[in-house]
Amino acid sequence: MDRGEMENDRGLIRGIGSNIAAHRRAVHVTQQDLAGRIGKSVQWVSAVEQGRLHAERLTDLLRIAQVVGCRIEDLIGRPVDRLAPGPRPPGEAVAAVREAIMRAAVPGNMEGVVPQLSDVNVRVADAWVVWHNSPTAHSTLGRVLPSLLIDATALYRMGPDRCAAARSLAGAYQVTRQWLHHIPDGDLAWIAADRAMAAAREADDPHLIALGAWALSASYRRAGQQDEATRLCLAAADELKSRIDSSDPDPNLLADYGMLHLAASISAAQSDDDGRAWAFHRVADDAARALGAHYDPWTAFGRGNVDIHGLAISAELGRPDTVVEYSSRLDVSNTPSVERQAAALINTARGYVRRGEDESAVLVLLDAERISEEEVRDSTLVRELIRELLYRDRARARGHVRALAQRVGLLAS
C-alpha cells in the first residue's frame, strides 16, 4: 500500500472524527454526555473524534447521529451505501431494474401479450433458486429481473385473475428487493419492499404479508430505524400467529413466524438490546425445531439459518470473542443457501478483525469468496473490514489484504 493510499485512509478516519466533534459542539453536547447516551467511554469518544480510533460498528455512527441530530451521511461525508467505495454492479442492469420499477408506477394498460400466470410463477421460483444457490446470483439476476418485473406487472394489470397475479407480483418484487439490498441500492430496495407488501395485502396472502414485513424491516434497519424494524416484525408475527393452527401448523407460516423473529433479533442486537435479541432468537429456534427438515425456499429459514443468525447477533452486539468461539462450532453447510453461508463467514471475519487477528480474518474472507465472489465483492461490510486491514497493514497479512482489496476495487490492480 503506497503512502498516498495510506494517507487517504487516515484522512477518512480523521474526517469522520472531525464531523462528529463539529456536530456535537453545534448542539452543545459534551463528550461526556455523548459517551453516556451511546454507551461508550469518554476516552472512546475522544479517540474517535481525534481520528485515533475507528467507530467499530455502523450502529455506533447511527447512534451518534441520533444524539447530535444529524444524518449518518453528515458524519461519514458520503451516502451510507458507499461508506467504502468499490465496484458497483453493471450500470445497465441497475438502470433496467429501475426503469421496470418506475414504469409500473405509471397508470394505464401495458402493451403486448398478457403473460401466463404459470410462467411468471415458475420464473419467480427460479429466481429464488438462483439467489440462494448460484455463486453468480448478483449478475444472473441482474439480467432476468427487469423482464420478470415487466411481465408480472402486465399480468397483474391485464390478467384474468387479479388476486393470483398480485401473489406473483409480490414474489417478483420480493426477490428484486433481496437483490437490491445486497448490491446495495437502499432507496430502490425500499421501493421494491413497499410494492411487495402492497401486492401481498391486496392478495390477502398471510405468507406474502409476513415476507413483506420481513423485507421492509431490512430497509428500516439500513435507514437506522432499528426500533421500527423490530416493531414491524413483532406486529407481523402477532398477525401471523392468529392464522396458524397450533394443532396442525402450516409449515410455510411457521417458517415465516420464525424468520420474523430472526429479523427482530438482528434489529434488537443493533440496538444493543442483547436480552431481547436472544429471546427472539430462541422463539425462532423453537419454530425451526418444530419444522424439522423443512426449509423455506425464499427466506432460507431452517435450523442452519437460525444458527447463522446466532453468529450475526454476536457480531452486531460487538462481541468478537463470542463470534470467533461461536464460529468454531458452526457448520455453514447446514444451510443450502450460498448467500447465507457467505454471510456467516463475513461475520466471522468481522470477529477476527476486531480481535486484531488479521491473517485469520483474511483467510475466512477468502473462504467466503470461494463460496460466492459476488457476495464478497458487493458487500459494504467487507470493504469496510478490508479498509481497516489496509490501515493497520500488518506485515503477516499484507499480501492477502492487497489482493483482496484489488478484487473488491479498493486498490488498483
Side-chain angles (χ1 to χ4, degrees):
M1 187 177 191
D2 64 33
R3 185 179 298 275
E5 289 166 336
M6 181 70 81
E7 285 304 316
N8 285 340
D9 284 333
R10 287 173 177 158
L12 172 63
I13 295 167
R14 284 196 299 267
I16 293 174
S18 297
N19 290 339
I20 291 171
H23 282 281
R24 175 181 60 75
R25 294 185 187 113
V27 294
H28 307 292
V29 172
T30 66
Q31 286 186 341
Q32 184 173 2
D33 288 340
L34 177 60
R37 293 171 68 179
I38 65 174
K40 298 289 185 179
S41 68
V42 175
Q43 291 77 12
W44 184 92
V45 172
S46 177
V48 168
E49 290 190 349
Q50 293 175 34
R52 295 185 286 108
L53 184 69
H54 282 278
E56 292 185 350
R57 295 184 295 158
L58 189 59
T59 45
D60 291 331
L61 292 174
L62 289 169
R63 203 164 288 118
I64 291 169
Q66 290 168 354
V67 171
V68 302
C70 70
R71 302 172 305 159
I72 189 171
E73 288 86 351
D74 297 326
L75 299 181
I76 64 179
R78 65 192 71 184
V80 66
D81 286 342
R82 292 190 292 279
L83 178 58
R88 307 295 285 171
E92 292 182 3
V94 175
V97 168
R98 184 181 299 276
E99 181 182 356
I101 290 175
M102 295 302 104
R103 185 192 302 184
V106 179
N109 291 332
M110 304 181 73
E111 298 178 359
V113 178
V114 178
Q116 292 294 313
L117 176 64
S118 58
D119 175 66
V120 174
N121 284 339
V122 167
R123 289 161 62 191
V124 170
D126 287 347
W128 280 108
V129 170
V130 168
W131 175 255
H132 284 298
N133 294 277
S134 173
T136 60
H138 293 200
S139 54
T140 301
L141 288 182
R143 292 190 294 270
V144 304
L145 288 178
S147 61
L148 175 59
L149 287 171
I150 289 170
D151 287 349
T153 301
L155 177 66
Y156 172 73
R157 289 187 179 175
M158 299 184 291
D161 187 340
R162 189 176 177 88
C163 185
R167 294 190 187 97
S168 297
L169 185 62
Y173 272 120
Q174 283 282 10
V175 70
T176 300
R177 194 281 316 174
Q178 189 81 340
W179 181 77
L180 290 167
H181 184 76
H182 283 251
I183 290 304
D185 191 316
D187 292 341
L188 206 54
W190 192 298
I191 294 173
D194 185 66
R195 298 268 182 89
M197 178 61 95
R201 287 288 184 190
E202 180 169 352
D204 192 28
D205 186 312
H207 171 60
L208 291 174
I209 291 170
L211 293 182
W214 168 66
L216 278 170
S217 72
S219 292
Y220 276 114
R221 284 198 303 274
R222 183 178 290 278
Q225 301 294 323
Q226 277 71 24
D227 290 344
E228 182 62 20
T230 302
R231 186 206 63 76
L232 175 65
C233 288
L234 296 181
D238 286 343
E239 179 181 349
L240 190 65
K241 189 175 183 179
S242 67
R243 301 200 183 197
I244 297 177
D245 183 351
S246 58
S247 62
D248 185 23
D250 181 328
N252 290 325
L253 298 186
L254 189 55
D256 297 337
Y257 186 76
M259 197 63 213
L260 285 166
H261 279 84
L262 283 186
S265 72
I266 297 299
S267 303
Q270 289 179 347
S271 298
D272 281 334
D273 192 343
D274 58 344
R276 296 184 83 204
W278 289 113
F280 298 149
H281 186 266
R282 285 193 293 273
V283 173
D285 189 53
D286 289 343
R289 291 177 185 277
L291 285 168
H294 179 83
Y295 171 82
D296 187 271
W298 286 17
T299 66
F301 183 80
R303 289 296 304 280
N305 202 358
V306 171
D307 291 341
I308 285 172
H309 273 73
L311 181 69
I313 289 170
S314 295
E316 293 295 347
L317 289 170
R319 295 175 182 167
D321 292 339
T322 304
V323 168
V324 172
E325 191 277 329
Y326 194 113
S327 68
S328 68
R329 299 181 280 105
L330 182 65
D331 183 358
V332 297
S333 64
N334 284 339
T335 178
S337 170
V338 165
E339 179 265 320
R340 290 285 81 206
Q341 291 176 16
L345 292 174
I346 290 168
N347 274 320
T348 300
R350 193 174 170 186
Y352 280 120
V353 169
R354 297 295 172 250
R355 286 179 18 147
E357 299 177 26
D358 295 0
E359 178 71 4
S360 295
V362 176
L363 292 175
V364 171
L365 287 174
L366 289 173
D367 285 341
E369 190 180 37
R370 279 188 283 272
I371 291 174
S372 174
E373 179 181 333
E374 292 184 345
E375 280 296 322
V376 171
R377 182 199 67 197
D378 292 336
S379 170
T380 299
L381 175 57
V382 167
R383 293 196 293 274
E384 184 183 353
L385 294 175
I386 295 174
R387 181 179 291 279
E388 185 164 344
L389 294 175
L390 285 171
Y391 178 71
R392 290 207 296 251
D393 195 29
R394 299 196 175 190
R396 66 178 185 272
R398 184 179 301 165
H400 294 312
V401 175
R402 286 183 62 83
L404 260 177
Q406 289 170 349
R407 290 196 293 277
V408 302
L410 284 176
L411 293 179
S413 300

